[in-house]
Amino acid sequence: MKRVAYLNGKFLSYQKAVIPIGTHALQYGSGCFEGIRAYWNAEKKKLYVFRLKDHFERLGRSCKTLHMKLPLTTEALVKLTVELLAKNKHRENVYIRPFVYKTSDIVSVFNLDRLENGFGIYTVPLGSILNVKEGINAVFSSWRRVDSHTVPPGAKPTGIYLNTSLAKTEAEEKGADEAILLNLDDSIAEGSAENLFIVKSGKLITPSIDQNILEGITRNTVIELAEKELNIRTAQRKVQKDELWTCDEIILTGTGMEIAPVVKIEDRTVGSGKIGPITQKLRGLYSNIVHGKDKRYLKWLTEVNCLPSPAHNC
Ligand code: PMP
């Protein structure tokens, strides 16, 4: 099955959805994006997109920060994504990547407001990123998280991901699954593309949004589920490195990684060395919700239906 992508007002075959070599965003990293997941429910034969509207609202805020512009309203972007998913007839879990970028072909750093904006979305089948069932192994990165005085880390700018790619590369070179990035003052920021939580004596703690983090949609989901379903309030504050040695559980949360337990850091065991009870409960709740199996949270899902034509057997 050939995939279709959307680029600057048109649906095109994925292979034809290309951008020219001199594009400002390619040369200078002047873009911002979202990462969204849709989950296939085999019983209901339906695809559910998780918190689609929230992702487009965050993309809108990123654009404002970065002098970029979305071509459509949030509602129209939601409709467009559903149309694209239906055209691609996915029957598996899917990753959805909308992005806004500076299209101008200009060989210089330039006033961003004077550069043209482009917009695209593509979809790609994506299962679990890591086998997190046993828990993952992380190391502290020697690369520090980009500070908000340098580039706004909450705006998901494409260029900033060189920072996290270096951290991830270093982690894998050391034999670990994931990197934990520190701030310049040695406090904890987040993972390479995940927010971090610790569990200490039954309480959840996560770095606050002034700690150079991306305010993750999974992070917000976990905070809400912990409070409503587990009766646990989350403290949002500065988290120090040594707290990771003494806590009971460490959790990484992100659209890609979902809810992942960290059971080792720098070869030291975290908590019991096994997936902790709070992580386990959150993973169970999350998995049911994203697959459309928990009616109370259908508000977070956008359903993708088959195209009306009988030829489209999705
Ligand atoms: N931090 C960074 C740097 C990320 O790239 C991501 C993934 N988007 C996250 C945190 C988690 O955000 P979300 O839960 O919205 O996917």
Side-chain angles (χ1 to χ4, degrees):
M1 156 73 197
K2 289 215 168 107
R3 259 184 299 150
V4 173
Y6 177 88
L7 188 63
N8 295 323
K10 286 190 205 125
F11 288 108
L12 301 163
S13 80
Y14 180 78
Q15 277 70 21
K16 289 199 173 145
V18 290
I19 61 167
I21 192 169
T23 302
H24 195 272
L26 179 64
Q27 300 297 334
Y28 298 102
S30 51
C32 61
F33 67 99
E34 277 301 314
I36 307 166
R37 265 191 189 266
Y39 290 84
W40 175 247
N41 180 320
E43 259 167 57
K44 294 191 183 155
K45 296 205 174 356
K46 275 185 183 157
L47 197 60
Y48 291 105
V49 193
F50 187 58
R51 302 195 73 162
L52 185 53
K53 186 165 174 268
D54 297 319
H55 278 282
F56 280 123
E57 284 174 354
R58 185 169 70 183
L59 188 59
R61 293 194 294 278
S62 297
C63 285
K64 271 194 180 155
T65 309
L66 299 172
H67 302 260
M68 295 177 190
K69 222 172 162 29
L70 275 166
L72 298 165
T73 61
T74 297
E75 289 67 31
L77 290 165
V78 166
K79 258 181 96 179
L80 180 66
T81 307
V82 169
E83 196 181 341
L84 179 63
L85 286 164
K87 278 185 191 293
N88 281 335
K89 293 188 246 169
H90 290 291
R91 295 177 68 108
E92 69 268 285
N93 294 349
V94 188
Y95 187 80
I96 305 154
R97 164 59 54 83
F99 65 102
V100 183
Y101 68 106
K102 291 296 182 184
T103 59
S104 307
D105 185 345
I106 282 176
V107 192
S108 98
V109 173
F110 218 69
N111 177 345
L112 288 167
D113 286 322
R114 288 168 56 200
L115 299 175
E116 296 293 322
N117 296 285
F119 174 73
I121 317 183
Y122 65 94
T123 64
V124 57
L126 185 72
S128 297
I129 288 186
L130 288 173
N131 182 5
V132 297
K133 288 206 177 112
E134 301 289 310
I136 63 168
N137 169 8
V139 286
F140 291 115
S141 178
S142 66
W143 298 100
R144 297 308 168 105
R145 174 70 176 155
V146 170
D147 186 85
S148 59
H149 296 95
T150 314
V151 181
K156 252 181 125 41
T158 52
I160 216 175
Y161 281 81
L162 199 49
N163 170 246
T164 52
S165 299
L166 286 167
K168 182 85 177 180
T169 305
E170 183 190 61
E172 288 193 2
E173 278 171 1
K174 288 184 175 170
D177 301 311
E178 189 46 90
I180 295 174
L181 285 94
L182 304 178
N183 289 311
L184 292 172
D185 68 358
D186 270 359
S187 61
I188 304 293
E190 56 183 4
S192 69
E194 308 87 28
N195 295 113
L196 182 142
F197 289 75
I198 60 175
V199 179
K200 242 182 171 178
S201 313
K203 301 249 159 61
L204 275 163
I205 305 165
T206 193
S208 41
I209 54 169
D210 58 0
Q211 294 300 301
N212 302 315
I213 65 163
L214 176 73
E215 188 179 353
I217 287 168
T218 325
R219 173 185 182 273
N220 290 345
T221 302
V222 162
I223 292 172
E224 188 169 334
L225 292 179
E227 182 156 0
K228 286 200 181 138
E229 306 294 333
L230 310 179
N231 207 14
I232 299 174
R233 294 283 297 270
T234 302
Q236 300 185 45
R237 61 159 170 83
K238 196 185 265 293
V239 175
Q240 298 298 351
K241 200 175 162 185
D242 63 315
E243 294 184 83
L244 272 57
W245 303 130
T246 53
C247 66
D248 307 313
E249 301 176 41
I250 299 180
I251 314 170
L252 290 176
T253 66
T255 299
M257 189 77 92
E258 303 169 300
I259 297 181
V262 179
V263 294
K264 255 188 184 176
I265 295 191
E266 309 264 336
D267 285 332
R268 284 170 70 168
T269 302
V270 174
S272 66
K274 301 226 161 60
I275 303 184
I278 294 182
T279 313
Q280 199 77 274
K281 282 183 196 153
L282 287 167
R283 278 172 58 78
L285 281 163
Y286 188 78
S287 173
N288 276 339
I289 290 169
V290 297
H291 286 94
K293 295 181 182 168
D294 188 334
K295 280 193 184 133
R296 297 165 310 157
Y297 291 97
L298 287 175
K299 60 176 184 183
W300 278 339
L301 303 178
T302 305
E303 212 176 284
V304 180
N305 287 311
C306 302
L307 286 178
S309 150
H312 293 285
N313 185 24
C314 72

